[in-house]
Amino acid sequence: MQLAKKKRWILASAVGSLLSTQSRAYGADWQAETAYRYYSETDRVTAMEPVLKLHKTESDGSEIDFSIAYDSLSGASPNGAAVSDEVQTFTSTSGAGAAETTTAASGYRSSRDDRDDDDDDDYEGDDEYGGGVREYTVQPGEIPLDPDFSDDRLSISLQYSTPATRTITTAIGGSYSSESDYLSMAINGGLGLSFNRKNTQLGLNLSLAHDENTPFGGVPTRFSKMSEPSSSGSSESKTIVETLISVTQILSPNAVVQLNYSAGMSQGYHTDPYKIITLLDENLDILDYVAENRPDQRTKHSVFSALKYHAFGDTIDLSYRYMWDDWAITSTTVDVKYRLNLGNVFIQPHYRHYHQEAANFYVTQLHSTDDIPDHASADYRLGTLTSTTYGVKVGLDLGKQQEISFRVESFQQEGESAAANLDAVISQINYKVAF
Amino acid sequence: MKTNVQTTKNTPWNITKVGHNTWRGSFSSMASPCEILINCTRRQHAESLVECAYREAKRIESKFSRYQEDNIIFRINNSQGEWVSLDTETTEILKFADQLFQVSEGLFDISSGVLRRIWNFQTHSSIPTQGMIDNMLPLIGWDKITFDSDNQRILLPMGMEIDLGGIGKEYAVDLTLKKIQQMSDSLGIAHGSYLVNFGGDIVCSHKTKDKNKQSESPWVIGIETIDSLKTAPAIELVAGGLATSGDSRRHIDHEDKRYSHIVNPKTGWPIEHAPHSVTVIANTCLEAGMLATLASLQGRDCENMLIDSNTCYWIQ
């Protein structure tokens, strides 16, 4: 008798659970995610970034992904000059009427990197600029910061993948991003093969990108002095080719591992047109500031491995990345996330550690007594860097296929130049819905 | 100019007025006549609700029908021993099927559909030999299937099949009512009563602002009788589900023995002494349908199970 009642109770709860999940809309398989991120460095840059992502799965297994993001940065950013015991005065080049300077801060760009976990490394030296006919002074002992910079960027990407056969998937995509003085366009194509009863997946991806840099005030002539500014043209460009090979292996219903290798080559203008280097005379007094100059080619490689493991209803995510390039930069990233599932709520602590060795042309200053090198940059992001991120994300399932989550992270960075030392706070709110 | 458009629109469903503020929409889906009864004041609203019901029924039919070649069931049944990725809805239904398998101790099994190849209850023809049955049994058993609900995927051994026919119609009935209610909310219909009937699997609801108000008249549901001499009982239902397991027309008579259409997946033989038809009333159509099916699978103990589980039922 009790058994029958118990069975009925089990049945009723199973029905309740099925029908309540079904009140979520399944007919349309659209998923939308909106996020708003706020990034703030102590005394430096602040960034606000609203993002909208749309995802659709078709009944034949095809998937469409669209995303649009806008970021707006403002604040103060290091110009590359060294700290001095004298008052330093800087002029910043710019086109007429452009009363703004633009640049990006390493912490912000690198914190953005934790979104892509496959092919990139923390160092990004590509997308930042400055400008504006202005003069600013920096007090003795202070880090030379370009005080009022702002930058707005719009980026759009579209990706489509479709199963060609039962075991082969093809994908194509494109992206576009634009700033007032920078334009980037990319296309990519990929192939996914599954075998071993779909327990093993091999991915091959090729991408091609073209960047166009149009700095305010023109492209500075390499190593040209701030006291006698000269320009070698109005714009420069860069082409990047990247390949990615990935293997994903399902070890058990609870564990998945992934191994990636990526190689990329870029050709063209890698220099940051707004970064300068302090030039010292024989008495080690400041003689002038010169424009930096980076090699026009870069080849980089990275390996990435990740493990996702489900246990006791929770999920642990571990990943490790090693990157090296022909500028002698090497970097390692370790990332750990633990998702604690508590019914409708989840709590996910996050830890990340990043270490980078300097590029072989990284300098803190140049000396007038020495020969001018082929390449040199004092951009702290090319120097030795160590950063640590601690954070937590809390998510709440609102039912009806909706989820809201909050993330707060603290980012701390140290490096060989004073400019590299910074603290930042990242906060983000996310809302996901399917309809 | 205001015109009253009668059903001149070219729609795959029909709508007629059957009483004061009562509309009846009809269409065909899942090999059954489907009927939507709507109690609301405006014809325009009733039409929107029937359209919405029709779309939901067709969506579920095309997604889960085993007769279609481009849906998830086809992909699972033709996966050649490889993992198949599942969407969330399919995963949830399979989780439900898994719970039914557990609670019925293996008698409710969505992999038992292959027995259709040897038991044909439509033609009332001969019965298979034990040898034929023995050849089929290795291809049956939900426990031989690897269902990984966490990663939303399934692995069927070669030659096995699944079939959601035992769940799909009841599921569609409840979900269609939900869709109607959602649509009714978005149309701003204050007091609407609805009944969804897909080939005898029924659910109904009514909405009133005052919970203590008894003014809502219940839906009256007649039960088809097998014996034409008996009068059809009428059930009054305000809200809830009703479903029937068994069908007097689906059985095999062979050498003076009647074989019911409910087959025991463990033996490959029809359940003995199962009633011709069991009708159950519960909170939802799905719950009623599953209770009726689980009870029928008990054979002679069918009625005991229904009594013990405090069910409101009708056995023929």
Side-chain angles (χ1 to χ4, degrees):
Chain A
M1 315 297 112
Q2 282 310 106
L3 191 65
K5 280 200 185 105
K6 192 180 167 200
K7 281 182 178 175
R8 171 146 199 207
W9 184 82
I10 293 170
L11 182 65
S13 71
V15 168
S17 142
L18 177 63
L19 293 179
S20 73
T21 50
Q22 296 328 310
S23 64
R24 304 160 172 189
Y26 282 123
D29 285 307
W30 281 100
Q31 277 186 326
E33 182 175 354
T34 57
Y36 186 85
R37 165 144 54 165
Y38 183 76
Y39 169 88
S40 168
E41 289 173 0
T42 313
D43 303 328
R44 292 198 204 167
V45 169
T46 0
M48 278 166 278
E49 184 183 19
V51 183
L52 171 71
K53 288 186 207 171
L54 291 171
H55 174 86
K56 185 176 194 206
T57 310
E58 302 280 359
S59 55
D60 65 356
S62 306
E63 293 181 39
I64 303 168
D65 280 285
F66 170 79
S67 88
I68 181 164
Y70 179 78
D71 40 308
S72 172
L73 284 83
S74 59
S77 175
N79 63 13
V83 176
S84 165
D85 52 11
E86 296 166 36
V87 173
Q88 303 190 77
T89 303
F90 300 95
T91 51
S92 185
T93 53
S94 107
E100 56 176 15
T101 5
T102 51
T103 200
S106 163
Y108 176 64
R109 295 300 189 209
S110 62
S111 68
R112 171 146 70 196
D113 264 2
D114 61 11
R115 256 194 237 147
D116 58 338
D117 51 357
D118 47 9
D119 59 354
D120 220 334
D121 55 86
D122 256 59
Y123 164 67
E124 294 277 349
D126 306 328
D127 37 12
E128 48 208 79
Y129 339 71
V133 186
R134 287 171 300 100
E135 220 179 72
Y136 57 92
T137 55
V138 171
Q139 295 306 305
E142 285 191 359
I143 300 163
L145 298 175
D146 191 338
D148 37 17
F149 103 128
S150 73
D151 177 16
D152 295 321
R153 172 161 73 172
L154 178 72
S155 49
I156 295 168
S157 91
L158 186 65
Q159 198 74 26
Y160 176 73
S161 78
T162 187
T165 69
R166 221 154 28 83
T167 54
I168 300 176
T169 308
T170 54
I172 52 164
S175 66
Y176 170 89
S177 102
S178 102
E179 287 159 84
S180 45
D181 54 356
Y182 205 87
L183 185 71
S184 175
M185 283 171 289
I187 50 167
N188 68 74
L191 205 58
L193 307 165
S194 37
F195 29 121
N196 187 14
R197 301 196 311 189
K198 294 202 175 171
N199 280 312
T200 310
Q201 291 197 22
L202 177 69
L204 302 167
N205 210 287
L206 184 70
S207 73
L208 187 67
H210 184 78
D211 292 3
E212 200 69 44
N213 197 337
T214 319
F216 296 111
V219 177
T221 309
R222 63 191 204 111
F223 299 124
S224 58
K225 292 175 177 168
M226 187 183 270
S227 56
E228 319 156 27
S230 84
S231 167
S232 60
S234 64
S235 76
E236 285 284 0
S237 68
K238 180 172 66 188
T239 306
I240 308 145
V241 183
E242 253 181 2
T243 57
L244 170 73
I245 301 169
S246 75
V247 179
T248 308
Q249 175 70 44
I250 295 171
L251 299 177
S252 74
N254 297 330
V256 185
V257 285
Q258 190 182 11
L259 272 178
N260 289 0
Y261 165 73
S262 101
M265 216 189 73
S266 51
Q267 188 87 42
Y269 187 72
H270 292 83
T271 301
D272 185 330
Y274 305 122
K275 289 283 189 263
I276 54 173
I277 310 170
T278 304
L279 183 66
L280 300 177
D281 64 14
E282 61 274 20
N283 301 321
L284 302 182
D285 288 329
I286 297 173
L287 187 65
D288 210 329
Y289 305 96
V290 296
E292 65 157 48
N293 182 49
R294 302 182 191 183
D296 56 11
Q297 191 179 325
R298 184 180 179 207
T299 308
K300 70 178 185 182
H301 306 261
S302 75
V303 286
F304 170 81
S305 62
L307 169 73
K308 195 184 255 269
Y309 188 75
H310 265 311
F312 320 112
D314 297 341
T315 310
I316 185 160
D317 256 307
L318 300 172
S319 75
Y320 172 81
R321 177 183 296 139
Y322 182 74
M323 190 286 296
W324 69 101
D325 70 4
D326 61 353
W327 292 359
I329 296 175
T330 59
S331 75
T332 52
T333 313
V334 175
D335 195 291
V336 184
K337 289 188 185 108
Y338 188 90
R339 180 172 162 138
L340 187 65
N341 288 313
L342 308 161
N344 289 339
V345 178
F346 74 83
I347 299 173
Q348 180 178 280
H350 177 210
Y351 169 80
R352 177 184 165 105
H353 183 80
Y354 175 78
H355 179 76
Q356 170 186 304
E357 291 297 335
N360 51 18
F361 55 86
Y362 174 77
V363 293
T364 47
Q365 69 271 313
L366 290 173
H367 298 268
S368 62
T369 50
D370 297 344
D371 291 340
I372 295 271
D374 288 339
H375 308 111
S377 171
D379 186 342
Y380 75 86
R381 289 162 305 168
L382 295 176
T384 306
L385 283 180
T386 303
S387 72
T388 311
T389 307
Y390 294 97
V392 67
K393 185 174 175 178
V394 177
L396 176 66
D397 185 343
L398 302 172
K400 295 189 177 171
Q401 210 84 330
Q402 298 176 89
E403 186 188 286
I404 191 160
S405 61
F406 306 91
R407 178 167 75 114
V408 181
E409 291 189 333
S410 145
F411 173 83
Q412 288 156 332
Q413 180 175 273
E414 286 179 359
E416 62 193 280
S417 77
N421 301 331
L422 69 89
D423 292 339
V425 174
I426 303 150
S427 47
Q428 182 172 321
I429 178 165
N430 261 64
Y431 171 72
K432 262 195 254 188
V433 63
F435 55 94
Chain B
M1 190 178 75
K2 200 178 169 187
T3 50
N4 258 335
V5 182
Q6 298 303 311
T7 357
T8 49
K9 286 183 215 159
N10 191 15
T11 54
W13 40 264
N14 288 311
I15 190 162
T16 47
K17 189 164 189 178
V18 291
H20 176 64
N21 286 343
T22 307
W23 312 87
R24 177 178 181 273
S26 60
F27 51 86
S28 175
S29 181
M30 303 179 212
S32 301
C34 299
E35 175 186 57
I36 313 292
L37 294 177
I38 294 165
N39 207 319
C40 73
T41 47
R42 295 173 59 183
R43 181 190 179 98
Q44 217 182 349
H45 284 162
E47 282 182 0
S48 301
L49 296 173
V50 173
E51 168 71 23
C52 154
Y54 172 78
R55 279 167 187 261
E56 182 67 359
K58 284 290 174 189
R59 180 188 76 79
I60 296 171
E61 179 181 23
S62 67
K63 185 165 180 180
F64 298 114
S65 165
R66 66 165 187 274
Y67 301 109
Q68 274 178 319
E69 293 214 338
D70 54 355
N71 64 9
I72 183 69
I73 300 302
F74 182 84
R75 285 210 295 278
I76 293 170
N77 290 341
N78 292 278
S79 56
Q80 312 280 334
E82 281 177 1
W83 285 103
V84 176
S85 308
L86 305 171
D87 62 290
T88 313
E89 182 177 29
T90 309
T91 306
E92 293 298 325
I93 291 188
L94 292 177
K95 269 196 216 171
F96 181 70
D98 178 58
Q99 284 168 307
L100 283 172
F101 180 81
Q102 309 298 341
V103 82
S104 68
E105 282 142 17
L107 289 176
F108 185 97
D109 191 331
I110 58 167
S111 71
S112 64
V114 290
L115 287 168
R116 259 192 327 272
R117 295 177 197 160
I118 53 172
W119 286 102
N120 188 334
F121 299 101
Q122 308 291 335
T123 55
H124 299 226
S125 61
S126 61
I127 64 165
T129 63
Q130 186 60 47
M132 289 160 78
I133 290 172
D134 289 345
N135 286 339
M136 285 312 217
L137 289 180
L139 299 177
I140 298 167
W142 173 249
D143 46 355
K144 293 172 192 156
I145 292 171
T146 319
F147 172 48
D148 175 6
S149 62
D150 284 343
N151 294 311
Q152 303 208 342
R153 55 190 201 140
I154 191 167
L155 178 67
L156 252 64
M158 294 272 261
M160 286 186 69
E161 280 179 18
I162 61 164
D163 170 7
L164 296 176
I167 304 173
K169 194 143 65 83
E170 291 89 338
Y171 171 73
V173 166
D174 284 323
L175 231 56
T176 300
L177 178 69
K178 278 208 159 161
K179 284 278 156 164
I180 290 176
Q181 287 171 323
Q182 280 168 11
M183 172 65 94
S184 146
D185 286 345
S186 68
L187 290 172
I189 300 172
H191 308 277
S193 298
Y194 312 106
L195 181 142
V196 177
N197 173 9
F198 292 176
D201 289 328
I202 296 169
V203 70
C204 61
S205 77
H206 79 114
K207 200 162 105 177
T208 170
K209 277 180 182 169
D210 185 356
K211 280 182 182 169
N212 301 318
K213 207 172 160 188
Q214 290 293 313
S215 68
E216 289 296 325
S217 52
W219 297 102
V220 179
I221 299 160
I223 296 182
E224 195 182 5
T225 54
I226 294 167
D227 187 343
S228 56
L229 296 175
K230 285 185 185 167
T231 48
I235 292 171
E236 291 191 343
L237 206 55
V238 174
L242 177 149
T244 301
S245 166
D247 187 324
S248 51
R249 293 180 214 102
R250 278 161 64 201
H251 56 84
I252 295 176
D253 287 313
H254 182 77
E255 290 171 357
D256 297 333
K257 193 168 175 184
R258 170 171 281 206
Y259 293 89
S260 84
H261 82 294
I262 299 176
V263 180
N264 181 337
K266 295 177 180 174
T267 63
W269 285 93
I271 299 279
E272 287 189 42
H273 309 290
H276 299 317
S277 146
V278 181
T279 300
V280 171
I281 293 172
N283 291 322
T284 60
C285 181
L286 190 57
E287 188 181 0
M290 297 308 104
L291 277 167
T293 305
L294 293 184
S296 299
L297 284 164
Q298 303 302 314
R300 206 193 292 275
D301 291 330
C302 173
E303 187 152 14
N304 289 335
M305 180 195 147
L306 292 168
I307 294 168
D308 292 343
S309 56
N310 277 339
T311 306
C312 178
Y313 66 94
W314 174 265
I315 288 185
Q316 296 186 74

